[in-house]
Amino acid sequence: MVAQLQLDAVIGFGGDIQSGLIFHPDGQHLLYPLGSTIVIRDLAASHSQRFLHGHTDDVSTVTLSPCGRYIASGQVAHMGFTAQILVWDFETGAIIHKLELHKVLIQSLAFSCEDENGIIYLASIGGQDDCNLVIWNALTGDPICGSPCSNDLSFFVKFFNKDPFSLVTGGSYNLRVWSLDTVHRKIRPTDCNIGQLRRVFTCLTIDDDDETMYVGTATGDVLQIGTGRCLMQQVGPKTLFSDSVTCIIGTPSGHLIVGAGNGALAVLEKSSLKICREEKLQGKIRSLTLGNEGHDMFAGTASGNIYYVPVATFVPELRNTCHPTGISDVCFPGGYSELFATCGGNDIRVWNSRNCVELLRIQVPNVEVHCVCFSVDGSQIISGWSDGKVRGFGPQSGKLLFVINDAHVGGCTAIACMNDASQRRIITGGTDGQVRVWQITKQSQTMVASLKDHSGTVNCIKVRQNDAECVSASDDGSCIIYNLQVYKRSASMQASTFFKGIVYHPDESQIVTCGTDRKVTYWDPLDGSAIRVLDASEDEVTAIAITADGDLFVSAGADKLVKVWHYDEGMCHFIGVGHSGCISKVAISPDQGLCVSVGQEGAICIWAMGVAAEEDQAESQ
């Protein structure tokens, strides 16, 4: 029987989703999207988190009912298809309703407070291909009524705090207050009068008494509008924010907290809309959420950072960081399991594997990093980049140690270090199909050999323990074993697949590969013949790693699952569910205690290697 693999921790946050970070009213949990899943994290225990799986594509918006019992989330869909809204039970994580009316994208969702009959309503608006406002009964999942939002795009919807039959929508040059008539199943709009001003409205907050609303704009100002007659009362601050106002919330003390696209986090007086205090966060602020009766606040930014801000002192404290884009590679240093490195977008990050804290960040603007590895002695982090350069950095300082210019035409996609530290040699592969050996010294970096046998991108390179041979896996459907004494090919393995990953068995009697044919294959390195073929997945397998003793190996790929196999049996013993995007790479810690997988949705999952999840352990007992 296949057991569930124990997930120790997840590093990741979908920070680019508007108002995606939500502080639960119980003061104990944070909710946020990550790819196509929703994460519910317990603030008391940093490694305690639940995942809501159900969406078939990336989550585009998420909201929580005022009572904290229901979660609603919308997703992106392919052009021409309907986009799902899922309503979840917070306590159980079960899907209560699947709602489908909008096309392509769910732009925004909002829950109402309860009406006199205890009914809660859910409002949803579609994206640019839909632009409709639909009101649902959140308890039964039935649509009540709908209407086109406006003649232009709409970006947000929000119910009044105490009136379940009034709501506001806003977007490009439109801001409307709607009144809901559930008896006649009608919804009627009133346009807000803002005089001669023309604004793109981006976010909104409504006073507790529902008398006034404050609306943020793409121009960088805030409009105060009376909800009764829908007339503008004032506009501020006098000095505009240098980017759009992206989120706005009201505090119990009578102030507004505003987040802007340039990372500015400001406190405004409600009466005059003057800025009282301003702080700077890293990245575009997309979410502000209050909790604990307005004393605590969390802010989420598009660069994947979560900040904790006590409202009284208003001093931001960085709580979580992650990659804002897909991650392409992960590796451990030789013989040390306490940290690992990941790379994605334009940065390399080094993490503590026990408490998931980011220790170092190395950024190179305007280029993308494809691969990363530690030198054998741990003195360098060596990386391959989309501009064809190989860069070496100090593992503690992050200082640039060397650059190999024009190492590969079109980008360096694979990298490996030779095991003899005194030789100081590395092997690289690129999109040009070349495999090159380099001698690295403090003064110079010289090419020792260039091997051109592949006709496609080289995806992975592995070196034998004695440095006599290396093997490369490529998109051209071949893996080639090179003799590193004479720099000639000694054998090759062919299959009708794009080879994505390759490893030597620790005793080096066999080579294991994975690729787009959905199979894991054992090969004889002497003659290049296939010994055993395993059907490893229903989708392409993109990553493979093996333990130091050779008993277990891990495969992962586009099916978003991490699978732990027994090498000799060829049987899958554990399956890890946690990713919501294609898994790019997996790495096993040198002490064999952890497995780290990284995905295209920007998540880093840390698994207890070969340990069943607690639910499975309880069932077996």
Side-chain angles (χ1 to χ4, degrees), residues 476-493:
D476 62 4
S478 70
C479 294
I480 298 176
I481 301 170
Y482 292 103
N483 184 320
L484 294 178
Q485 260 80 46
V486 294
Y487 300 110
K488 294 239 170 28
R489 65 189 276 177
S490 57
S492 72
M493 296 158 283

Side-chain angles (χ1 to χ4, degrees), residues 486-507:
V486 294
Y487 300 110
K488 294 239 170 28
R489 65 189 276 177
S490 57
S492 72
M493 296 158 283
Q494 310 283 340
S496 55
T497 179
F498 289 13
F499 284 110
K500 295 294 181 186
I502 191 163
V503 289
Y504 275 103
H505 187 273
D507 66 10

Side-chain angles (χ1 to χ4, degrees), residues 98-127:
K98 288 187 179 180
L99 314 176
E100 290 189 15
L101 272 181
H102 297 287
K103 283 194 170 61
V104 184
L105 170 72
I106 308 298
Q107 184 71 45
S108 182
L109 294 165
F111 279 107
S112 73
C113 57
E114 290 185 10
D115 69 3
E116 64 272 11
N117 299 318
I119 296 172
I120 298 174
Y121 301 103
L122 175 68
S124 60
I125 53 175

Side-chain angles (χ1 to χ4, degrees), residues 241-252:
F241 292 99
S242 60
D243 206 329
S244 62
V245 173
T246 50
C247 41
I248 182 168
I249 54 172
T251 66

Side-chain angles (χ1 to χ4, degrees), residues 365-389:
N366 306 322
V367 284
E368 198 174 326
V369 58
H370 291 317
C371 51
V372 67
C373 74
F374 285 92
S375 60
V376 177
D377 57 4
S379 63
Q380 295 173 347
I381 297 172
I382 304 166
S383 52
W385 298 75
S386 59
D387 57 359
K389 295 179 181 179

Side-chain angles (χ1 to χ4, degrees), residues 329 371-373 382-384 390 412-417 426-429 461:
D329 203 359
C371 51
V372 67
C373 74
I382 304 166
S383 52
V390 174
C412 175
T413 53
I415 203 156
C417 293
I426 63 168
I427 305 170
T428 62
I461 297 171

Side-chain angles (χ1 to χ4, degrees), residues 304-582:
N305 297 334
I306 297 176
Y307 291 85
Y308 167 67
V309 186
V311 175
T313 60
F314 208 68
V315 178
E317 174 193 323
L318 183 61
R319 281 285 176 91
N320 289 86
T321 60
C322 67
H323 285 276
T325 57
I327 306 172
S328 51
D329 203 359
V330 58
C331 65
F332 280 90
Y336 192 66
S337 305
E338 295 300 313
L339 55 85
F340 61 91
T342 59
C343 67
N346 63 358
D347 56 20
I348 299 167
R349 304 190 187 200
V350 179
W351 307 85
N352 183 316
S353 59
R354 304 299 171 201
N355 60 14
C356 306
V357 171
E358 184 184 324
L359 305 173
L360 175 69
R361 186 182 306 184
I362 301 162
Q363 290 184 305
V364 181
N366 306 322
V367 284
E368 198 174 326
V369 58
H370 291 317
C371 51
V372 67
C373 74
F374 285 92
S375 60
V376 177
D377 57 4
S379 63
Q380 295 173 347
I381 297 172
I382 304 166
S383 52
W385 298 75
S386 59
D387 57 359
K389 295 179 181 179
V390 174
R391 292 177 171 89
F393 301 94
Q396 288 179 306
S397 63
K399 194 176 103 183
L400 183 66
L401 302 177
F402 68 85
V403 180
I404 303 174
N405 292 309
D406 305 314
H408 293 275
V409 177
C412 175
T413 53
I415 203 156
C417 293
M418 294 177 73
N419 296 302
D420 184 355
S422 61
Q423 288 270 345
R424 301 189 75 79
R425 289 188 175 186
I426 63 168
I427 305 170
T428 62
T431 52
D432 52 5
Q434 309 241 17
V435 175
R436 289 177 166 171
V437 184
W438 305 86
Q439 179 85 44
I440 308 292
T441 63
K442 283 185 179 175
Q443 289 76 31
S444 65
Q445 301 83 41
T446 52
M447 186 166 70
V448 179
S450 180
L451 308 163
K452 179 73 177 92
D453 290 288
H454 289 295
S455 57
T457 300
V458 179
N459 291 315
C460 189
I461 297 171
K462 287 289 186 284
V463 185
R464 271 186 72 172
Q465 207 59 40
N466 62 1
D467 289 339
E469 287 178 346
C470 75
V471 62
S472 59
S474 170
D475 278 351
D476 62 4
S478 70
C479 294
I480 298 176
I481 301 170
Y482 292 103
N483 184 320
L484 294 178
Q485 260 80 46
V486 294
Y487 300 110
K488 294 239 170 28
R489 65 189 276 177
S490 57
S492 72
M493 296 158 283
Q494 310 283 340
S496 55
T497 179
F498 289 13
F499 284 110
K500 295 294 181 186
I502 191 163
V503 289
Y504 275 103
H505 187 273
D507 66 10
E508 296 177 348
S509 62
Q510 293 177 359
I511 290 172
V512 188
T513 63
C514 66
T516 54
D517 61 356
R518 310 189 291 278
K519 292 176 171 56
V520 168
T521 311
Y522 301 15
W523 304 84
D524 186 338
L526 295 175
D527 59 3
S529 61
I531 299 168
R532 183 181 206 171
V533 180
L534 304 176
D535 287 317
S537 171
E538 294 178 0
D539 219 321
E540 67 178 75
V541 184
T542 55
I544 192 164
I546 194 163
T547 56
D549 58 16
D551 288 345
L552 302 172
F553 71 91
V554 177
S555 71
D559 62 358
K560 309 169 191 172
L561 302 174
V562 174
K563 297 183 178 179
V564 181
W565 303 74
H566 192 280
Y567 188 88
D568 293 334
E569 293 173 10
M571 298 289 289
C572 179
H573 283 204
F574 300 95
I575 291 182
V577 180
H579 282 280
S580 59
C582 175

